[in-house]
Amino acid sequence: MEIQEKVVVVTGGASGIGAALAARFAAEGAGAVIVADIDDDGASRVAAGFDGEAIHLDVANDEETASVISHVEESYGRIDILCLNAGIATGGSVDVPNDTWQRTWEINVMAHVYATRYALPGMIERGEGYIVTTASAAGLLTNIGAAPYSVTKHAAVALAEWLAVTYGDKGIGVSCLCPQFVDTPLLDAFADYDDDMRAWVRGIAIGTEQVAEEVMAAIRSETFLVLPHPEVLGYFQNKATDYDRWISGMQKLQATIFTT
């Protein structure tokens, strides 16, 4: 899909990858870019950079999501590209409190369900539309020390895949963004790790502009899996080829991380 003159909605657009995506869509000539976020001030700052529209959205709220999708369709006539970018990073094991598990599930998974539930009918009626899901390499592999994040990102990848399979013949394109570490505030989740681990994370973290560049290319080529860290493909292939060996290697990596 070409981006020029398209109406684009970016959730979680007030900062990080979302802000970079929104700015890049505008620079690529999108007809309108709507920045949706629970952070009203941040969304307004981002939208002001390219004369876009900022709109309040708690992505975990079904009714609020329906209202935002309806507003955009009524105001601009359609939604061409829907970027489901909002997400949270949650660490810990299965003993993380239930409400934390539920909140992570609502933002990382159900938010995608709500938005596509309301945006898909218009796209299908027109026979054209594009959905970009921000998942994570953790959704293809895993994230050591972060069960809620890993599980919900796996679910986000699965939903994106299902949408691509189910609606591809109806003109709906889907891309699933699965980066490793990106230089955003989410890296603060590693604040409690040792110095070597934090240095390693920072060393492989890439900028949000690079991620946005990869997403634009994926939309134009209608590529499903977007891997700004190309080495993730090798890890994913190794996992599929010999699952037990991959798990053994991850166990060793975990031991290294938590004993250094």
Side-chain angles (χ1 to χ4, degrees), residues 10-231:
V10 181
T11 70
S15 63
I17 293 173
L21 287 173
R24 184 58 184 268
F25 278 121
E28 293 286 337
V33 180
I34 296 86
V35 181
D37 204 293
I38 199 168
D39 177 2
D40 295 332
D41 291 340
S44 295
R45 284 193 299 271
V46 171
F50 46 80
D51 196 26
E53 179 182 359
I55 190 166
H56 179 87
L57 174 62
D58 176 357
V59 296
N61 187 308
D62 185 7
E63 293 181 357
E64 203 167 294
T65 302
S67 178
V68 167
I69 297 297
S70 178
H71 163 76
V72 175
E73 290 180 332
E74 291 175 3
S75 300
Y76 300 93
R78 66 193 189 278
I79 296 173
D80 295 304
I81 302 174
L82 177 64
C83 288
L84 306 173
N85 176 74
I88 57 173
T90 308
S93 182
V94 293
D95 57 355
V96 168
N98 289 351
D99 58 349
T100 301
W101 270 100
Q102 188 61 36
R103 183 63 175 166
T104 308
W105 175 257
E106 289 172 353
I107 294 175
N108 288 355
V109 183
M110 292 309 298
H112 299 182
V113 174
Y114 301 149
T116 54
R117 173 184 294 167
Y118 299 115
L120 269 173
M123 292 181 174
I124 292 170
E125 183 179 355
R126 293 191 309 276
E128 183 181 48
Y130 211 94
I131 298 166
V132 179
T133 295
T134 298
S136 168
L140 300 174
L141 306 168
T142 195
N143 194 96
I144 290 170
Y149 183 75
S150 297
V151 170
T152 55
K153 288 302 184 178
H154 270 73
V157 172
L159 177 60
E161 181 182 284
W162 188 90
L163 292 169
V165 169
T166 305
Y167 297 108
D169 64 350
K170 300 183 186 302
I172 310 302
V174 180
S175 289
C176 186
L177 172 61
C178 294
Q180 282 189 294
F181 303 111
V182 181
D183 192 6
T184 73
L186 288 182
L187 290 188
D188 292 342
F190 294 90
D192 294 334
Y193 283 37
D194 64 81
D195 292 343
D196 288 342
M197 181 59 182
R198 289 199 304 272
W200 177 74
V201 168
R202 289 288 179 184
I204 67 170
I206 60 176
T208 55
E209 294 79 8
Q210 183 177 341
V211 175
E213 172 71 23
E214 296 280 349
V215 171
M216 299 303 121
I219 293 172
R220 289 197 174 91
S221 63
E222 301 195 1
T223 299
F224 177 75
L225 200 54
V226 189
L227 301 176
H229 295 83
E231 60 269 27

